[in-house]
Amino acid sequence: MLLLFLIPGWTGVNERTLVAVKPDGVQRRLVGEIMRRFENRGFKLVALKLVQASEDLLRKHYWDLRSKPFFRGLMSYMSEGPMVVMVWEGLDVIKTARNMLGENNPADSLPGTIRGDFCVEVGRNVIHGSDSVESAEKEISLWFGQNELHCWVHNSRPWIYN
């Protein structure tokens, strides 16, 4: 799956990233606020679903963390309830989304970031975002089928991008 595509006249790369509101964020009813922040920033939503993740899917998603001491707890936490999984598209969306999320440890996150505004401890940090183009490609293909990614015209694009 190719996620990077160039748009004539743009100086950056138009990307896609996976953003997932974790079970604690869904339970705390933060989904709308998080979506609002991405929409207000000018990013385009191209996929969205509410899902109760299977153990198999979570294991694939967090495979690189399997040797960490917190892996079992992470798997349990992510299985506690439904998640809202989204794909956002836009200019440098991966880097920008990571900045919007804040640090993994909420204590290190600045006010104005999602974790800085809504989280207290690492074990309940509300949201996940892809950290690179490679991880975005992998994660999007795990959570969404190709037919679930929608291409549509963002009518406000000329008001967001130069």
Side-chain angles (χ1 to χ4, degrees):
M1 171 186 341
L2 182 63
L3 298 177
L4 303 177
F5 34 104
L6 300 174
I7 305 224
W10 286 23
T11 58
V13 175
N14 200 38
E15 303 171 323
R16 287 182 175 172
T17 191
L18 183 96
V19 173
V21 181
K22 296 177 180 181
D24 56 322
V26 173
Q27 290 292 331
R28 294 178 56 202
R29 299 178 304 179
L30 297 174
V31 175
E33 172 64 23
I34 290 167
M35 290 180 69
R36 183 187 64 78
R37 289 180 183 214
F38 278 86
E39 286 182 325
N40 284 350
R41 188 65 186 241
F43 294 124
K44 180 172 75 169
L45 182 65
V46 296
L48 169 74
K49 64 175 142 181
L50 177 70
V51 60
Q52 178 73 46
S54 69
E55 184 177 333
D56 183 53
L57 178 58
L58 291 171
R59 192 170 303 284
K60 288 176 185 173
H61 182 89
Y62 289 113
W63 184 249
D64 57 329
L65 301 176
R66 68 191 178 281
S67 62
K68 302 287 185 183
F70 59 81
F71 181 73
R72 208 171 259 185
L74 175 64
M75 294 290 289
S76 175
Y77 156 57
M78 296 300 288
S79 300
E80 289 178 2
M83 300 168 48
V84 172
V85 187
M86 302 171 270
V87 177
W88 291 93
E89 181 180 289
L91 185 64
D92 298 320
V93 70
I94 295 168
K95 179 181 177 182
T96 305
R98 296 292 294 179
N99 288 332
M100 291 169 65
L101 270 57
E103 300 297 322
N104 283 334
N105 184 347
D108 298 332
S109 295
L110 296 173
T113 65
I114 293 166
R115 291 181 180 134
D117 290 348
F118 301 116
C119 303
V120 176
E121 64 178 53
V122 176
R124 296 284 188 260
N125 69 0
V126 173
I127 194 163
H128 166 83
S130 302
D131 62 5
S132 68
V133 171
E134 296 76 25
S135 66
E137 288 176 351
K138 176 189 144 224
E139 292 170 357
I140 291 168
S141 68
L142 276 174
W143 292 90
F144 291 94
Q146 194 63 27
N147 64 332
E148 296 177 293
L149 301 171
H150 301 278
C151 293
W152 57 281
V153 176
H154 193 300
N155 290 328
S156 60
R157 193 179 98 203
W159 300 104
I160 297 168
Y161 298 108
N162 197 3

